[in-house]
Amino acid sequence: MTISAEPRAPSPGEAAFRTTLSRPGALRFFLLRKLPLAWLAGCRLTVLEADVAAISLRHGWLNQNPFRSLYFGAQAMAAELSTGLLVMQHIWQRPGPGVSMLVTGMSATFSKKATGRITFRCPDGAQIRAAVQEAAHTGTGQSFEVSSIGTDEAGGVVATFRFQWAVKGRA
């Protein structure tokens, strides 16, 4: 797992979030408590930076479909987690009013059979940060779409997911 510093100074909440998840077993414990199916399926955090998050998932008996490839639901779970971690990072321990988050839509395109280790990468952290800041400052809901691209060990794209997120500042 790589957790790196970014050129701009992270907010205290962002830094605390990455520090918390960088501890050995922290994400596994979080998944076990809050998302037990992701834990059981074998989701692993591979990258968490200011603007990028990546989750990997190995095809296995528990998460396969009848065609001996990674079940689309398991792929969706890992892809959503890669986007959701970025949203959580930007709302974590935020000063002032809190911000709520919710997935409001999803679409996917599957390019090829998903076998082996598949990594879902979301590069849209800057867009997420801007929407969370706007929601926190204005108190109005913000809606945005982010992508998570799944690649196999050879670098070939196996799936592309688009998630519609909504964030709203709490009073």
Side-chain angles (χ1 to χ4, degrees), residues 10-152:
S11 73
E14 290 173 33
F17 186 77
R18 287 198 298 275
T19 299
T20 299
L21 286 185
S22 68
R23 292 190 308 235
L27 182 71
R28 288 183 188 178
F29 181 70
F30 169 78
L31 293 177
L32 183 59
R33 281 189 61 228
K34 301 291 185 180
L35 298 167
L37 282 176
W39 176 81
L40 193 61
C43 289
R44 300 287 183 262
L45 177 65
T46 56
V47 175
L48 182 57
E49 299 173 353
D51 295 333
V52 177
I55 298 291
S56 70
L57 184 60
R58 181 171 292 287
H59 164 247
W61 180 79
L62 274 177
N63 57 26
Q64 74 177 345
N65 61 26
F67 311 108
R68 295 189 196 145
S69 63
L70 196 57
Y71 181 59
F72 82 93
Q75 291 182 57
M77 183 170 47
E80 189 270 339
L81 186 56
S82 73
T83 66
L85 284 175
L86 288 174
V87 178
M88 288 176 67
Q89 171 180 247
H90 294 298
I91 66 173
W92 190 265
Q93 297 177 347
R94 187 170 181 76
V99 176
S100 63
M101 58 190 265
L102 180 67
V103 172
T104 59
M106 181 199 85
S107 65
T109 320
F110 300 95
S111 310
K112 67 187 229 184
K113 194 171 183 174
T115 57
R117 181 163 297 278
I118 308 299
T119 301
F120 292 91
R121 186 175 189 276
C122 176
D124 299 328
Q127 177 187 355
I128 294 168
R129 181 184 320 102
V132 167
Q133 288 175 346
E134 182 72 18
H137 287 94
T138 65
T140 61
Q142 302 293 314
S143 184
F144 54 93
E145 187 174 88
V146 294
S147 63
S148 182
I149 300 167
T151 56
D152 59 17

